[in-house]
Amino acid sequence: MTETIAVVPGDGIGQEVVPVAVDVLDAVGEFEFVHGEAGDATKAETGSALPEETYELVAEADATLFGAAGETAADVVLPLREAVGSFVNVRPARAYPGVDALRPETDLVFLRENTEGVYAGHEDRLSDDLSTLTRVVTTSASERLAEFACDYVDDRGLDGFHVAHKANVMRETDGRFRDAVVGVADEHGVETEAVLMDAFATHVCLDPEQFDVVVCPNLAGDVLSDLAAGLVGGLGLLPSANVGPENGLFEPVHGSAPDIAGEGVANPSATLLSAAMLLSHLGYDDEGDRVRAAVEDVLAEGPHTPDLGGEASTEDVADAVLARL
Amino acid sequence: MTETIAVVPGDGIGQEVVPVAVDVLDAVGEFEFVHGEAGDATKAETGSALPEETYELVAEADATLFGAAGETAADVVLPLREAVGSFVNVRPARAYPGVDALRPETDLVFLRENTEGVYAGHEDRLSDDLSTLTRVVTTSASERLAEFACDYVDDRGLDGFHVAHKANVMRETDGRFRDAVVGVADEHGVETEAVLMDAFATHVCLDPEQFDVVVCPNLAGDVLSDLAAGLVGGLGLLPSANVGPENGLFEPVHGSAPDIAGEGVANPSATLLSAAMLLSHLGYDDEGDRVRAAVEDVLAEGPHTPDLGGEASTEDVADAVLARL
Ligand SMILES: CC(C)[C@H](C(=O)O)[C@@H](O)C(=O)O
Ligand SMILES: CC(C)[C@H](C(=O)O)[C@@H](O)C(=O)O
């Protein structure tokens, strides 16, 4: 069976980093690529940042590689996460030899709840002065995330994971989240340590090595994983996987970077590492490992794009990765 | 007129760092000190973490110096912030010469909204599976914070401030916050730059010098200021001021640190710097500056408590500060 991979480059540097990642996927496997449009440019043309065709394409594909979107990012990426039925956003944040990092010892994975919290938030304008947002937390979504987390640490031979929360203030909602996650882990004999998200923000800077896998509510995962990006040298290196029961949406954590778009110098590493996660998700573990190893080699030895202090182009980096496969 | 300062040491190291800060206040001015109890130990004794007498004491004082509370922190500090009518939590995060910092160039002040957001959150358990929290944002609270921020930057000769938010997801609530803050600043001719709170988390690690004053919703301010604490070397150095129209509650950002409580080695710097903020708030600007300068000298030259790699006691540090006044 040939798997279908939907390819949605989006805006800005998405148009530059996604095509080279498709070349890499093409080099290691036989896939059918189907192309979709989304983002600011698509909105300008069609009136919608995420046309129905693109949504369907992504929903029906076996996996999707997404680039980035500009101003319309939330209108594109949030529905696409839903299109693939994603309940967890897997965000590794690792420092790589050869790349300057504030904390070179950082090697973390955030498992971010991907369906609720403030993202499921119904908002109301109650008066000229007052607006509210209804934050949603369910035991079922928290438990599903926890099951995933238990498998994730088991697969990696780890004993347990941290659970970030703010249950001292959001007692009912984050209390529910924390207790549900810890409860599932207890059943599986997986160790957990609950940590306040504010305390985590301090401690991950002071000593990132004490953390491996961090399970978070949706917005906490958004902010804390971006913080970790700062510790490893920026967003240019962070891949992510929006994992659903079958489908998955793979995207670099960085945005469309309008300041450098069109110059051909965007760092493709985050997208190539996202493609590696896509391969593993489809069951091509060896191919995923090969792509990951090739990207790591190139990060260690160069060539490097300007964001990492080099002078190479996106193509140069992609060619160096292809040459190592 | 002799001002009344309420003194609430609370739990753990609060009992060690607050008394020495009272000595310092006593050394630079004539105040009437009134003492209140709060925290875990108080709850164990009286059944309440924050007895009515303490609440009244704080509400009626001209200012309060608070230490820390343990498990009951939220039950103590959130009502006390309300008792003083605080609408802004001022949190400077500065690296000091003589103290190891991940980013020694960090010199930031967070102005955190102190009354609403998820902290005003009404929570409901809607079913066995589902809980909600109603996040509250008003234009009036956002504008009051913005007026304070405009005065704050004016007083310091700065051109403007950043506004952290997550309005791409919380469009109605954080959109209201951002627009209200930017609107007030525009009227005052104060420059603003809005920044997504997740992007801020990355950028403050990569280049903290681009930020001076950061205006935040309540929870964003909680997490981002703790992140900044990680960049300057930990919570042991961060003071804070919960400012109300007249009254104010001054507290170190750190907690009760049960691991070192009772050993007499807690770093009193954050509490001494909070006392300096208290002095400035009461109009004793010179005295506040003197205390601040003395603490900075001691940070630069020692003696240092164990958290900073030294062997000094809390008393040693306090004596060194007193000797410099
Ligand atoms: C674009 C935005 C809606 C999105 C999010 O908040 O999830 C982004 O910040 C991310 O982390 O992928
Ligand atoms: C104890 C807790 C309620 C408090 C908060 O969230 O504001 C603390 O984290 C702080 O920052 O002062």
Side-chain angles (χ1 to χ4, degrees):
Chain A
M1 194 200 89
T2 305
E3 283 92 352
T4 302
I5 298 178
V7 177
V8 184
D11 294 316
I13 62 169
Q15 294 286 343
E16 300 164 43
V17 293
V18 168
V20 303
V22 170
D23 292 344
V24 166
L25 288 170
D26 213 22
V28 296
E30 298 232 336
F31 304 105
E32 189 192 334
F33 295 102
V34 292
H35 290 79
E37 314 252 298
D40 296 0
T42 305
K43 183 169 182 182
E45 277 165 38
T46 70
S48 163
L50 182 64
E52 188 63 29
E53 304 94 86
T54 305
Y55 185 96
E56 292 301 332
L57 198 78
V58 169
E60 284 160 22
D62 294 299
T64 294
L65 189 66
F66 172 63
E71 292 297 316
T72 57
D75 297 318
V76 174
V77 78
L78 300 181
L80 286 185
R81 288 175 187 164
E82 205 185 283
V84 301
S86 173
F87 59 90
V88 53
N89 189 330
V90 182
R91 299 198 159 192
R94 237 188 97 176
Y96 293 97
V99 175
D100 276 347
L102 190 55
R103 281 288 186 208
E105 65 275 41
T106 306
D107 188 1
L108 282 169
V109 178
F110 294 89
L111 301 179
R112 168 183 176 190
E113 202 287 322
N114 218 12
T115 65
E116 51 186 35
V118 301
Y119 286 74
H122 183 78
E123 292 190 294
D124 289 294
R125 185 188 159 83
L126 296 184
S127 78
D128 273 0
D129 190 46
L130 172 70
S131 296
T132 58
L133 178 148
T134 307
R135 179 175 193 263
V136 174
V137 176
T138 65
T139 296
S140 43
S142 309
E143 288 183 348
R144 192 167 46 167
L145 173 65
E147 294 284 352
F148 183 92
C150 289
D151 288 345
Y152 194 90
V153 298
D154 272 352
D155 286 352
R156 283 156 187 81
L158 299 169
D159 294 329
F161 55 80
H162 283 83
V163 189
H165 67 91
K166 186 75 187 176
N168 57 343
V169 171
M170 302 190 277
R171 294 177 187 205
E172 178 59 35
T173 50
D174 263 19
R176 183 187 281 277
F177 174 81
R178 181 197 55 200
D179 295 347
V181 171
V182 169
V184 166
D186 282 351
E187 278 168 28
H188 286 273
V190 170
E191 291 172 17
T192 49
E193 192 174 328
V195 52
L196 287 166
M197 66 183 287
D198 47 334
F200 177 85
T202 304
H203 293 305
V204 75
C205 292
L206 296 178
D207 177 18
E209 279 182 293
Q210 69 188 291
F211 303 107
D212 288 313
V213 173
V214 188
V215 173
C216 307
N218 208 339
L219 182 60
D222 179 50
V223 177
L224 299 178
S225 63
D226 268 25
L227 155 51
L231 300 179
V232 304
L235 291 167
L237 302 177
L238 270 69
S240 76
N242 298 280
V243 176
E246 291 169 13
N247 205 333
L249 174 75
F250 300 82
E251 43 161 344
V253 175
H254 64 66
S256 63
D259 49 323
I260 58 159
E263 294 176 20
V265 295
N267 185 347
S269 303
T271 308
L272 295 172
L273 291 167
S274 301
M277 294 179 87
L278 183 155
L279 288 164
S280 306
H281 178 76
L282 289 179
Y284 296 94
D285 287 318
D286 289 349
E287 290 80 354
D289 289 344
R290 273 166 58 208
V291 171
R292 200 172 295 113
V295 174
E296 287 176 19
D297 278 358
V298 174
L299 286 172
E301 293 161 24
H304 283 170
T305 43
D307 58 308
L308 302 181
E311 298 188 346
S313 68
T314 307
E315 290 288 347
D316 295 336
V317 173
D319 288 344
V321 170
L322 282 166
R324 277 172 173 81
L325 287 175
Chain B
M1 194 197 89
T2 305
E3 283 92 353
T4 303
I5 299 179
V7 177
V8 185
D11 294 317
I13 62 169
Q15 294 286 344
E16 300 164 42
V17 293
V18 167
V20 304
V22 170
D23 292 343
V24 166
L25 288 170
D26 213 22
V28 297
E30 299 233 337
F31 304 105
E32 189 191 335
F33 296 102
V34 291
H35 291 79
E37 313 253 297
D40 296 0
T42 306
K43 185 172 181 179
E45 278 166 39
T46 70
S48 163
L50 182 64
E52 188 64 28
E53 304 93 87
T54 306
Y55 185 96
E56 291 302 330
L57 199 78
V58 168
E60 283 159 24
D62 293 300
T64 294
L65 189 65
F66 172 64
E71 292 297 316
T72 56
D75 296 319
V76 174
V77 76
L78 301 181
L80 286 185
R81 288 176 186 162
E82 207 184 282
V84 302
S86 173
F87 58 89
V88 54
N89 189 329
V90 181
R91 299 197 158 192
R94 238 187 96 176
Y96 292 98
V99 176
D100 275 348
L102 191 55
R103 280 289 186 207
E105 65 275 41
T106 307
D107 187 1
L108 283 168
V109 178
F110 294 89
L111 302 179
R112 169 183 175 189
E113 202 287 322
N114 218 11
T115 64
E116 52 186 37
V118 301
Y119 286 74
H122 183 78
E123 292 191 293
D124 289 294
R125 185 187 158 84
L126 296 184
S127 78
D128 273 0
D129 190 46
L130 172 70
S131 295
T132 58
L133 178 149
T134 306
R135 179 175 193 261
V136 174
V137 175
T138 66
T139 296
S140 42
S142 309
E143 287 183 348
R144 192 168 44 168
L145 174 64
E147 294 284 351
F148 182 92
C150 289
D151 287 346
Y152 194 91
V153 297
D154 271 352
D155 286 351
R156 283 152 187 82
L158 299 168
D159 295 329
F161 56 81
H162 283 84
V163 189
H165 67 92
K166 187 75 187 176
N168 58 342
V169 172
M170 302 190 277
R171 294 178 188 204
E172 178 60 33
T173 50
D174 263 19
R176 183 186 281 276
F177 174 81
R178 180 198 55 201
D179 295 347
V181 171
V182 169
V184 166
D186 282 351
E187 276 167 29
H188 287 273
V190 169
E191 290 172 18
T192 50
E193 192 173 329
V195 53
L196 287 166
M197 65 182 286
D198 48 333
F200 177 86
T202 305
H203 291 305
V204 75
C205 292
L206 296 178
D207 177 18
E209 279 182 293
Q210 69 189 291
F211 303 107
D212 289 312
V213 173
V214 188
V215 173
C216 306
N218 208 339
L219 182 60
D222 179 51
V223 177
L224 299 177
S225 63
D226 269 25
L227 156 51
L231 300 180
V232 305
L235 290 167
L237 302 177
L238 270 69
S240 76
N242 298 279
V243 176
E246 290 168 15
N247 206 332
L249 174 75
F250 300 82
E251 43 162 345
V253 174
H254 64 68
S256 62
D259 49 324
I260 58 160
E263 295 176 19
V265 296
N267 185 348
S269 304
T271 308
L272 295 172
L273 292 168
S274 301
M277 294 179 88
L278 183 156
L279 288 164
S280 306
H281 177 76
L282 289 180
Y284 295 93
D285 287 319
D286 289 349
E287 289 80 356
D289 288 345
R290 273 166 58 207
V291 171
R292 200 171 295 113
V295 174
E296 288 176 19
D297 277 358
V298 174
L299 286 172
E301 293 161 23
H304 283 170
T305 43
D307 58 308
L308 302 182
E311 299 186 346
S313 68
T314 306
E315 289 289 346
D316 295 337
V317 173
D319 288 344
V321 169
L322 282 165
R324 277 173 173 81
L325 287 175

